[in-house]
């Protein structure tokens, strides 16, 4: 019954990679806490780099500097 | 003053249906807890089926199997 | 499969009232969008009035003024 | 290490304005609580006006009435 | 730079188990998407069973029935 | 009408500091985007250090090492 929300920048994650995140985190919750995988919900949010900030500036600006 | 976030898969909910969710949940909070509808905020997130997982797999994969 | 998060101030909602919110919003999603109630998840967060702000001030301060 | 999520309606905020939100809220957390700006994360969600409700109706409907 | 929020019912997860969730999901994001573990943030919310609903009823009620 | 969620570790923020966060972020949204402060909602979540992870480990463990 857990609910997991994963937020990443929108930079080309493929459906296969997102499927791996879903299966991996569902298995982790089963292994560590015995949670039923059938009712584990995972939601992935992909966020534009203009809308994600760290260190006081957007990821867009950081990427331009090569970070 | 409540805040409600509703997450659903992006599968064609119409503006009219979303308006019904907004009015319905606002009324529910007024009926059950006496909350002022004027300051109740509702945000609906529609999530791509690749980005929603349940039972360890994406909804895209489940829909292909007819679930 | 929807996920609903309801945030309210922590001001004495009873288990019965919270059960009404859970059943009510689950039914709403079934009625409006045909969502399966068995997999609808609802999480209620009760927030201390010091930690909830509206109009630029905390609810604690507003309650003291009688709002 | 704080995490801040800002939700606004999608109504034309520019990258420059979003950068100001990111730098401003990061500075606020440093000034008020001494938080390290290097690890402060800010995520801005822009929400369609059909998907944002207040007062029991969508912002789309309110905007049409001139609110 | 990813942000992960894990919500589980408050039913006795230990600090060691929560540490395993944190390290496991951080590693998963590194393995699948090459994300830098140093800036991956994980927040675990433990929710009272009165405040978690599934299938239209609270987990408290379900646990009493042996589910 | 914006909604802002600020998550910090639970390490003794006072009501006065939380009030400063509320007024500061509300003013920021008014200054940058012209948002009406009367309907800006701010919710602060204080998270136990066992439940907050960065760099693959909990803040509790990091604090013990002096970080």
């Amino acid at each position: 019954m857990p609910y997991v929300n994963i937020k990443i920048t929108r930079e080309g994650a493929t459906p296969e990679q997102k499927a791996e995140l879903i299966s991996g985190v569902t298995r982790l919750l089963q292994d560590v806490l015995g949670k039923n995988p059938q009712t584990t919900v995972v939601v992935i949010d992909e966020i534009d780099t203009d809308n994600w900030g760290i260190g006081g500036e957007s990821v867009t600006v950081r990427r331009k500097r090569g970070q």
Side-chain angles (χ1 to χ4, degrees), chain A:
Chain A
M1 215 161 21
Y3 169 80
V4 181
N5 179 226
I6 299 174
K7 288 187 200 292
I8 53 175
T9 44
R10 189 188 305 278
E11 299 180 278
T14 65
E16 290 70 30
Q17 288 172 321
K18 292 187 278 193
E20 274 188 76
L21 292 180
I22 290 168
S23 63
V25 77
T26 302
R27 200 177 318 116
L28 180 70
L29 282 153
Q30 183 174 27
D31 290 350
V32 175
L33 293 174
K35 296 295 183 184
N36 179 0
Q38 290 314 310
T39 54
T40 294
V41 174
V42 183
V43 172
I44 300 170
D45 292 321
E46 295 174 273
I47 308 290
D48 289 343
T49 56
D50 278 350
N51 289 16
W52 190 298
I54 186 164
E57 57 188 6
S58 75
V59 173
T60 304
V61 168
R62 292 168 77 89
R63 291 284 186 264
K64 280 186 188 150
R65 274 209 317 275
Q67 282 183 292

